[in-house]
Amino acid sequence: MVMHKQATVGAGRLLMPDLDYPLIIAAVALLGLGLVMVASASLHRINDAPFYYMNRHLIAIALGLVGCLIVTQIPVAYWERSGALLYFVGLFLLILVLIPGVGREANGATRWIPLGPFNLQSSEFMKLFMVIYIAGYLVRRQLEVALSVWGFIKPMLLLVIACSLIMVQPDFGTTTVILATAMGMLFLGGVPLWQFAILIGLAGTSLAGLVLLSPYRLQRVTAFLDPWADVENSGYQLAQALIAFGRGEWFGVGLGSGIQKQFYLPEAHTDFLMAVIGEEFGLLGTLVVVALFAVIVWRAFRTGMRAEQLNQRFAAYVAYGLGLWIGMQAFINMGVNVGLLPTKGLTLPLMSYGGNSIIVAMLVVAMLVRIDYELRRPVSAVVRGAQ
């Protein structure tokens, strides 16, 4: 089944396929702005190769486009049948990255599997696989989830296994996003409020314990509370990001004219890209980015509600989960940049430099487009395409 342009009769005009264009336009706008800002933030980093990061970012976008074309051709029913398999594939990749000699270490973390010139970050793909698996579980076990504690505990056990492997890498930020997304999906799937409250308490206690037992995480939290207390050490990143936003004021200093990205602000092209946007485009540019992410989350939840009305519950839960994931990760990244949250090491979806992050975020958009596309078609056509 191919998504293609449809010709009109008589008028000789071509109609665009019936797709979710607000979602597509918002995603393309974020990708384009992200490419420009990655270039702006990284041109000075390698003197003899100023376009190194931008070129790699372009390659990631190209690979993401190929992935999008593939995903938009796959019926949603296929993902529903493959949920358990995808979970175990993700689990295998998480274990593989921890095997000595297989996983690649950088900055004290072992998160990547070298594949020639490309490094596979298994935790990024596990986010997507977990959303698909939990959506399928909620469909298969709806009554059990709503009426039985065990029905609620079973997916949480699998979630804990995956998150534990991610924490060994270590990757606290990704663990937080996966847990929050899964809990949101379970709540929308009918988990009783008292069970959800207990889960929130247990998750909060566990995350607090991880912070207290790890000196570097505790240092991040204390630095977030008062970055100016140790501005030359633990509070350096946040202090420089706040200075960048301050310099930007209302309309920014202009594209390419930012100072903080020039070795004052660490990871300017990845985790702190939003601070560069704030400095060069000011409050106005920051609000535009927030609005574009809001459009993506809105369209995801709108798609989910339409799927629920049509009794397409798997599609609904996937759309809700993907919307929660993108919205939550964007919120956490922005919160870190402006000092609302401790440093997590999370990229800004669709924008920050990072091949795996860009590719997976584009696949998320493609899945939302595919779900919306199927919802607009007659039920008989969807069933035929899934066979």
Side-chain angles (χ1 to χ4, degrees):
M1 178 172 49
V2 180
M3 297 168 64
H4 57 280
K5 293 184 178 181
Q6 300 170 343
T8 60
V9 178
R13 293 180 293 112
L14 286 177
L15 290 179
M16 296 295 289
D18 194 11
L19 303 176
D20 189 346
Y21 287 105
L23 170 67
I24 295 171
I25 291 169
V28 170
L30 288 172
L31 279 171
L33 180 58
L35 176 62
V36 171
M37 297 314 301
V38 166
S40 176
S42 63
L43 287 176
H44 63 283
R45 289 187 171 265
I46 304 178
N47 293 329
D48 56 346
F51 297 103
Y52 173 81
Y53 290 105
M54 189 186 77
N55 289 337
R56 290 181 66 88
H57 196 75
L58 275 170
I59 292 171
I61 291 176
L63 291 173
L65 286 173
V66 173
C68 287
L69 291 174
I70 295 172
V71 168
T72 53
Q73 307 307 309
I74 300 175
V76 175
Y78 173 83
W79 297 110
E80 184 173 4
R81 293 194 299 268
S82 306
L85 175 62
L86 290 173
Y87 170 81
F88 286 108
V89 168
L91 208 62
F92 171 75
L93 292 175
L94 290 177
I95 295 172
L96 195 63
V97 78
L98 298 174
I99 298 175
V102 177
R104 186 178 72 84
E105 182 178 347
N107 299 323
T110 306
R111 302 175 187 171
W112 301 271
I113 301 172
L115 298 174
F118 184 76
N119 291 312
L120 177 69
Q121 188 173 354
S122 53
S123 58
E124 285 290 336
F125 288 88
M126 193 60 184
K127 294 178 192 174
L128 181 59
F129 297 162
M130 187 60 75
V131 168
I132 294 171
Y133 172 76
I134 291 180
Y137 181 85
L138 289 172
V139 171
R140 295 190 305 271
R141 306 285 185 178
Q142 184 181 24
L143 290 178
E144 191 177 353
V145 168
L147 302 176
S148 166
V149 176
W150 179 238
F152 169 65
I153 291 176
K154 280 192 290 187
M156 293 309 302
L157 290 175
L158 296 178
L159 183 66
V160 167
I161 293 172
C163 288
S164 298
L165 290 171
I166 295 172
M167 283 302 301
V168 175
Q169 295 181 6
D171 192 344
F172 188 74
T174 297
T175 301
T176 303
V177 170
I178 290 180
L179 280 173
T181 302
M183 288 190 294
M185 291 179 68
L186 289 168
F187 180 71
L188 293 172
V191 170
L193 189 59
W194 67 270
Q195 293 183 20
F196 190 74
I198 292 175
L199 176 62
I200 291 288
L202 290 174
T205 303
S206 300
L207 293 176
L210 290 172
V211 169
L212 294 174
L213 293 174
S214 178
Y216 89 93
R217 292 195 191 100
L218 184 60
Q219 187 182 49
R220 283 185 172 186
V221 172
T222 54
F224 141 75
L225 294 173
D226 186 8
W228 308 106
D230 191 9
V231 73
E232 296 296 330
N233 189 15
S234 59
Y236 181 78
Q237 281 184 314
L238 178 54
Q240 297 301 323
L242 294 175
I243 291 171
F245 282 109
R247 290 193 75 250
E249 298 184 348
W250 290 98
F251 303 107
V253 298
L255 178 62
S257 300
I259 294 175
Q260 292 304 108
K261 65 189 180 185
Q262 298 177 10
F263 298 106
Y264 293 105
L265 183 62
E267 310 299 336
H269 58 310
T270 56
D271 301 349
F272 284 90
L273 189 69
M274 197 68 189
V276 180
I277 295 172
E279 182 179 11
E280 299 191 352
F281 289 107
L283 178 63
L284 179 61
T286 302
L287 291 178
V288 168
V289 173
V290 172
L292 289 171
F293 276 111
V295 169
I296 290 178
V297 175
W298 162 53
R299 300 305 292 186
F301 272 78
R302 180 179 178 275
T303 298
M305 287 187 289
R306 286 178 54 227
E308 209 163 8
Q309 291 169 358
L310 295 171
N311 201 33
Q312 302 291 323
R313 291 191 295 116
F314 174 78
Y317 293 138
V318 170
Y320 289 145
L322 297 179
L324 284 169
W325 163 15
I326 293 294
M328 215 164 307
Q329 184 163 329
F331 172 77
I332 292 173
N333 179 276
M334 295 177 191
V336 167
N337 274 250
V338 299
L340 289 175
L341 297 169
T343 303
K344 291 286 192 303
L346 280 174
T347 57
L348 190 60
L350 295 167
M351 297 191 74
S352 293
Y353 174 80
N356 290 272
S357 174
I358 287 291
I359 292 170
V360 173
M362 292 177 69
L363 295 183
V364 166
V365 174
M367 288 195 72
L368 289 171
V369 169
R370 176 69 202 196
I371 292 170
D372 175 80
Y373 175 72
E374 288 195 10
L375 294 177
R376 295 170 188 261
R377 303 175 64 221
V379 175
S380 57
V382 174
V383 172
R384 286 197 304 271
Q387 291 176 349

